[in-house]
Amino acid sequence: MFEKVFVWLVLLFLSFCLYPAQADSSFGGTKGTRFVMNGKPFYINGFNAYWMMYMASNPSTQAKVTSAFQQASKYKMNVARTWAFGDGVGKALQTSPGSYNEDMFKGLDFVISEAKKYGVYLILSLVNNYNDFGGRKQYVQWARERGQSLNSDDDFYNNTVVKGYYKNHVKTILTRINTITNMAYKDDPIIFAWELINEPRCESDVSGALLQQWVNEMAAHFKSIDGNHLLEIGLEGFYGATTPEKQQYNPNNLELGSDFIATNLLPQVDFATIHIYAEQWLSGQSEEAQAAFVDKWVQVHIDDCNTIVKKPLIMAEFGKSWKYISRVLHRKQKRLLWKVIRRRIQQCQKWGSVCRWTFLAAVCARYGKLRGRIPSRFRGEPVNC
């Protein structure tokens, strides 16, 4: 959710059964529940900055992108997650199916080249679940305008024409030749991973089956073009119909159309993600209740990635809403949130496993400045337990 502030990225490493690493070691890879780079364990300190391409597309604001990467490098942050989409609305990257704004594309070129300059890897998301920046709704609307009879935005997942638009977008992005580096995106090691869709949900099939079918098809399409890069879905972590006993861990037992375990088990998916917005999901509940939810949410997903999915897990978004930031995010709450995270670290010791966490404690880079305080104990160094 692009409007959220105080977003932490947390990477969880749990060393058990092996999963194949990428063939070219200059690209990010996986080995069991760990990430690897150049044959060595790779620990992420990352941040979210959805706005980078948009700022980079205008020469007068490009310096904000450079500044964000400079600050990230200063604090030893090594991964940024940002958008590689903008569909049909505002300063769109894709103005209509298959038609692109070259100035916006050059902005993305600049983001990638600056990331390389400052040694910050990228996770690039390919479409939004929400209406912001176009999203699924825009794809469905494009198909309606071309004669398709579609009932809801969930037709994004099953309509052949709409899926064709998305596949073409994926191919266009992956095969783009960067005008600065002269390298195709699919061949650039500074891109750590691609994300199929930001926070996918599906109201018309709450079991998660339809979304899983879409992920299976799109992941195969992606890998047929780009065999170098890691791929993740963009899931928030909600459990689906294949694990009914785990739906109790969903906020308020809601079914939201995704299936964390079954979908992440797909062979073309390289690692899992979760997001946490307890304040929004459990609106009206106490801070203590929300913290307890966060504690359990993190624990069950660690367990599942360790014993069932057997792939790395990234906590890709975690934090507070922008509208609540000034009056709610006070010292007591921050202490409570960090207490939950530290408790999970201590749990690693009880397992007797090798467990390494690295943190992003800056929320998101907002217009060239990393906002949020990074606790000194977490700056630039993995916490080993």
Side-chain angles (χ1 to χ4, degrees):
M1 296 181 181
F2 81 93
E3 75 279 6
K4 297 166 185 167
V5 181
F6 285 85
V7 177
W8 284 264
L9 272 169
V10 181
L11 177 60
L12 314 177
F13 296 94
L14 305 170
S15 64
F16 282 86
C17 300
L18 297 182
Y19 189 75
Q22 300 301 101
D24 187 339
S25 62
S26 66
F27 291 86
T30 63
K31 185 176 183 181
T33 49
R34 302 187 185 200
F35 289 106
V36 294
M37 186 75 70
N38 297 315
K40 299 178 180 179
F42 181 68
Y43 306 107
I44 290 177
N45 289 296
F47 63 98
N48 283 277
Y50 75 91
W51 48 266
M52 283 191 161
M53 177 178 65
Y54 305 94
M55 288 294 181
S57 68
N58 185 337
S60 68
T61 54
Q62 281 185 342
K64 296 182 182 295
V65 175
T66 301
S67 176
F69 284 130
Q70 286 174 334
Q71 292 180 66
S73 181
K74 176 181 177 180
Y75 288 110
K76 299 183 180 180
M77 294 182 179
N78 57 8
V79 172
R81 177 173 172 260
T82 190
W83 293 170
F85 62 79
D87 302 303
V89 296
K91 294 177 64 178
L93 171 63
Q94 186 178 197
T95 56
S96 63
S99 296
Y100 290 83
N101 180 335
E102 181 62 17
D103 289 337
M104 291 299 291
F105 238 144
K106 287 181 177 178
L108 188 55
D109 292 345
F110 182 82
V111 171
I112 294 171
S113 67
E114 289 296 279
K116 187 186 294 285
K117 183 184 299 183
Y118 291 99
V120 179
Y121 293 93
L122 296 171
I123 296 176
L124 298 176
S125 187
L126 292 164
V127 73
N128 205 4
N129 175 64
Y130 308 105
N131 299 344
D132 307 297
F133 304 100
R136 288 193 295 133
K137 182 177 182 178
Q138 182 61 69
Y139 276 82
V140 171
Q141 182 59 32
W142 280 333
R144 286 196 182 107
E145 292 169 356
R146 289 156 178 78
Q148 295 293 300
S149 179
L150 304 177
N151 297 318
S152 77
D153 293 348
D154 286 345
D155 287 321
F156 175 86
Y157 297 121
N158 59 14
N159 178 267
T160 301
V161 172
V162 176
K163 289 192 293 183
Y165 293 159
Y166 178 81
K167 287 180 178 179
N168 289 340
H169 174 64
V170 170
K171 182 177 180 180
T172 299
I173 293 290
L174 295 181
T175 58
R176 164 77 175 184
I177 304 298
N178 192 310
T179 57
I180 301 172
T181 67
N182 295 315
M183 182 180 293
Y185 289 5
K186 68 183 180 68
D187 297 325
D188 197 334
I190 202 63
I191 298 172
F192 180 74
W194 296 91
E195 178 177 282
L196 289 178
I197 177 172
N198 176 53
E199 296 188 344
R201 297 182 180 184
C202 183
E203 294 180 1
S204 63
D205 182 2
V206 296
S207 72
L210 178 57
L211 176 58
Q212 182 174 338
Q213 292 172 9
W214 181 87
V215 170
N216 191 43
E217 181 177 349
M218 297 308 160
H221 174 69
F222 174 93
K223 293 289 187 175
S224 72
I225 302 170
D226 183 351
N228 291 321
H229 288 105
L230 297 174
L231 179 67
E232 50 103 346
I233 304 162
L235 294 177
E236 297 162 274
F238 304 125
Y239 293 99
T242 63
T243 52
E245 73 283 0
K246 292 183 178 292
Q247 289 180 356
Q248 62 179 308
Y249 301 120
N250 288 349
N252 296 315
N253 295 314
L254 291 174
E255 296 178 287
L256 295 166
S258 64
D259 192 324
F260 176 79
I261 290 180
T263 311
N264 279 307
L265 281 171
L266 293 172
Q268 306 282 24
V269 175
D270 296 301
F271 63 92
T273 62
I274 60 172
H275 296 183
I276 304 178
Y277 290 100
E279 177 192 62
Q280 296 180 19
W281 298 347
L282 303 177
S283 178
Q285 296 193 25
S286 68
E287 293 175 13
E288 290 74 19
Q290 292 176 11
F293 168 81
V294 170
D295 192 36
K296 176 58 72 172
W297 187 252
V298 173
Q299 179 184 348
V300 296
H301 287 89
I302 292 173
D303 291 343
D304 291 336
C305 284
N306 181 41
T307 61
I308 303 173
V309 178
K310 298 178 181 177
K311 298 176 185 179
L313 171 66
I314 289 182
M315 188 185 298
E317 294 188 25
F318 175 71
K320 291 288 178 182
S321 301
W322 174 263
K323 62 182 179 179
Y324 294 122
I325 209 68
S326 61
R327 65 183 177 87
V328 176
L329 193 60
H330 47 70
R331 289 184 178 181
K332 177 183 176 182
Q333 219 171 8
K334 286 192 285 188
R335 286 197 300 267
L336 187 61
L337 290 171
W338 283 111
K339 182 179 180 181
V340 171
I341 299 298
R342 288 196 299 270
R343 185 183 302 128
R344 292 295 106 230
I345 296 174
Q346 293 166 355
Q347 186 67 40
C348 295
Q349 296 173 321
K350 295 180 181 180
W351 292 336
S353 64
V354 178
C355 173
R356 294 180 176 86
W357 300 48
T358 53
F359 293 82
L360 168 69
V363 181
C364 61
R366 185 166 179 81
Y367 308 133
K369 294 183 179 180
L370 295 181
R371 299 171 63 94
R373 175 179 168 275
I374 306 171
S376 59
R377 69 174 68 90
F378 299 133
R379 287 180 186 160
E381 296 296 333
V383 178
N384 298 320
C385 58

